[in-house]
Amino acid sequence: AVRGSVAGAARHGGVGLSTSALGTQSSGRRFRRFCTVATSVAAAAAPSGPMRFSVLSYNVLHEFGALRLLRARGGGGVPAWAKDRLVQAANVVRQMQPDIVCLQEVDEAAQAAMQRTLGDDFECASTMCNESLPPRDGCSLFVRKGRWEVVSTHQFRMRDTAVKHFPELEGVRGRAAGMTAAFWRELHEKLNMAVAVKLRASDDQAAGGSPGAELCVATTHLFWDPQYPDLKLLQAFFLARELEDFAAGCPLVLAGDLNSTPYTRAGSALSGVYALLMQGAVGTGHPDHPVALRRGGGILSGVAPVDVPALNVAPFKSAYREAFGAEAPVTNASKDFRGCLDYILFREGLESGGGALPGLRLVGARPLPSDAEIASQLPLPSPLHPSDHLPILAEFEMGGA
């Protein structure tokens, strides 16, 4: 389905978003099926209603990757428009007026550009980077000042939570051979991370009779290689379990680059990562499960069900799927790939018995440029799109009736 063009917006009842106006949105426009979108200032000025806030996710493309992509186009140089590419990306974020900003591929230059551009309106609540890898990038989470108080933060690599959420791993490693040994070794080599914050609504912002309401927000960037969907699947499992512990029943928003499309490359099933996070379980027969993917052969033993944890988590909902009936067609575009890798997922909250707590509700999601519009701008990054990813944004509300 085409979304984001004027025609697409008319069909969806949403607002058209042209590539030339990616970072702008006037208040008063409407998202599909949901309430009028207000800026954070206007939303804060409704003390009798629920507290409304927006969450943005954006893979800004670290400089190491940008230089590689730009130089590969020929000539070996960097075009003039790309010299302030990260400033352009920061301006896109500011123009979209989010309350919570979840960023991936944030290197030192991107962090500095964001802090300068967002200025005193935001604080960097949590950040983490991989110092040992050439891009020296990571994830950062910014929060608009005055709306939330930062209660606590949590930064982790998924590999470092493996034993916590799969205590049998020590025994597995002791006996592992063949495909099993390779799988756990490869998973441990991946330094993919997540940063999370627990926020409390400021007293003058907590509308609808919900003073002190708490919310958890996290951002992540999973492993990139499409040849290893089983590694991504286990990363998603450990990520979801660790965030569930950190949130401790609070409403949770997970926004980031999952490096996974909604469907497998064959298109016949949901991808492992997407199925796990949206449906809450992935069985050993799924094509992305390590048991199915690493069967072994001959003298090389495969991965057995006892060698990996049972992949069950509390499921999420997807903001874009809830708003439009399907995920965005394109959030990442390059010379060789065009598809959806970026998501804003949410969970209302969990009671001790597993039931949903009221409080967090989706208001809407921001339409994106259509596949055709993006195709006309390839390859990314480009003068209109400073990253090879597009920023995505969803609005939520808490409290009230």
Side-chain angles (χ1 to χ4, degrees):
V2 175
R3 274 193 297 283
S5 64
V6 174
R11 286 194 296 274
H12 287 283
V15 58
L17 185 64
S18 69
T19 52
S20 62
L22 181 62
T24 62
Q25 168 88 34
S26 61
S27 61
R29 297 291 187 92
R30 299 183 68 85
F31 288 116
R32 176 186 182 270
R33 289 174 31 212
F34 293 98
C35 302
T36 301
V37 173
T39 65
S40 58
V41 175
S48 61
M51 179 182 182
R52 185 170 291 182
F53 61 93
S54 58
V55 178
L56 176 145
S57 184
Y58 194 11
N59 180 325
V60 297
L61 181 59
H62 52 63
E63 286 291 79
F64 185 87
L67 290 174
R68 176 178 54 82
L69 291 175
L70 292 169
R71 287 171 176 166
R73 297 176 187 177
V78 176
W81 64 262
K83 298 295 175 62
D84 62 348
R85 182 186 63 84
L86 290 172
V87 175
Q88 295 174 42
N91 281 326
V92 167
V93 171
R94 186 172 185 85
Q95 289 165 5
M96 292 177 73
Q97 303 183 66
D99 296 297
I100 300 170
V101 180
C102 299
L103 303 174
Q104 308 87 45
E105 291 199 24
V106 182
D107 56 16
E108 184 177 0
Q111 183 77 5
M114 287 293 165
Q115 289 178 322
R116 285 195 307 269
T117 305
L118 298 181
D120 293 336
D121 293 337
F122 288 82
E123 66 172 305
C124 182
S126 184
T127 188
M128 183 180 185
C129 70
N130 283 320
E131 296 286 352
S132 60
L133 297 178
R136 298 170 66 89
D137 71 307
C139 297
S140 289
L141 205 155
F142 287 78
V143 177
R144 186 179 292 275
K145 293 180 180 178
R147 303 217 65 197
W148 302 95
E149 301 169 5
V150 178
V151 177
S152 59
T153 65
H154 186 32
Q155 305 88 21
F156 61 94
R157 291 183 172 87
M158 277 68 87
R159 70 169 196 180
D160 295 333
T161 71
V163 173
K164 174 183 176 182
H165 300 295
F166 183 42
E168 296 85 353
L169 179 56
E170 295 293 356
V172 171
R173 283 174 173 161
R175 67 173 187 272
M179 292 285 193
T180 300
F183 173 75
W184 285 110
R185 182 182 66 251
E186 291 164 9
L187 187 67
H188 187 74
E189 290 169 351
K190 308 305 177 242
L191 301 180
N192 301 83
M193 66 184 64
V195 300
V197 297
K198 183 173 287 187
L199 305 172
R200 181 179 296 122
S202 301
D203 289 343
D204 59 345
Q205 299 289 321
S210 302
E214 292 188 347
L215 169 74
C216 286
V217 182
T219 188
T220 193
H221 190 188
L222 299 189
F223 183 51
W224 69 271
D225 197 334
Q227 299 297 321
Y228 297 91
D230 54 344
L231 297 182
K232 303 180 195 186
L233 177 57
L234 266 290
Q235 286 184 340
F237 170 76
F238 293 130
L239 169 69
R241 284 292 182 92
E242 188 69 10
L243 292 179
E244 188 173 332
D245 285 355
F246 179 67
C250 289
L252 171 63
V253 177
L254 169 60
D257 178 358
L258 301 184
N259 266 320
S260 302
T261 56
Y263 290 89
T264 61
R265 284 187 290 176
S268 57
L270 295 180
S271 70
V273 168
Y274 193 76
L276 178 70
L277 297 178
M278 297 296 293
Q279 298 178 339
V282 169
T284 57
H286 190 283
D288 290 348
H289 197 288
V291 171
L293 199 60
R294 305 192 187 215
R295 296 182 182 277
I299 62 172
L300 188 64
S301 59
V303 176
V306 295
D307 295 332
V308 292
L311 300 182
N312 300 293
V313 303
F316 291 83
K317 295 179 181 178
S318 166
Y320 274 75
R321 183 175 179 178
E322 293 290 313
F324 299 111
E327 299 295 347
V330 178
T331 67
N332 172 242
S334 66
K335 179 181 178 181
D336 303 315
F337 174 83
R338 195 159 74 241
C340 179
L341 300 179
D342 304 87
Y343 305 87
I344 298 176
L345 309 181
F346 66 100
R347 203 160 57 205
E348 291 91 341
L350 297 175
E351 295 175 340
S352 59
L357 287 170
L360 181 65
R361 296 176 295 278
L362 178 69
V363 175
R366 185 186 184 87
L368 295 178
S370 70
D371 188 26
E373 286 177 312
I374 291 299
S376 69
Q377 294 296 324
L378 289 180
L380 301 187
S382 71
L384 293 179
H385 298 284
S387 173
D388 59 342
H389 288 251
L390 302 179
I392 57 176
L393 182 142
E395 187 159 9
F396 300 90
E397 62 184 16
M398 292 179 65

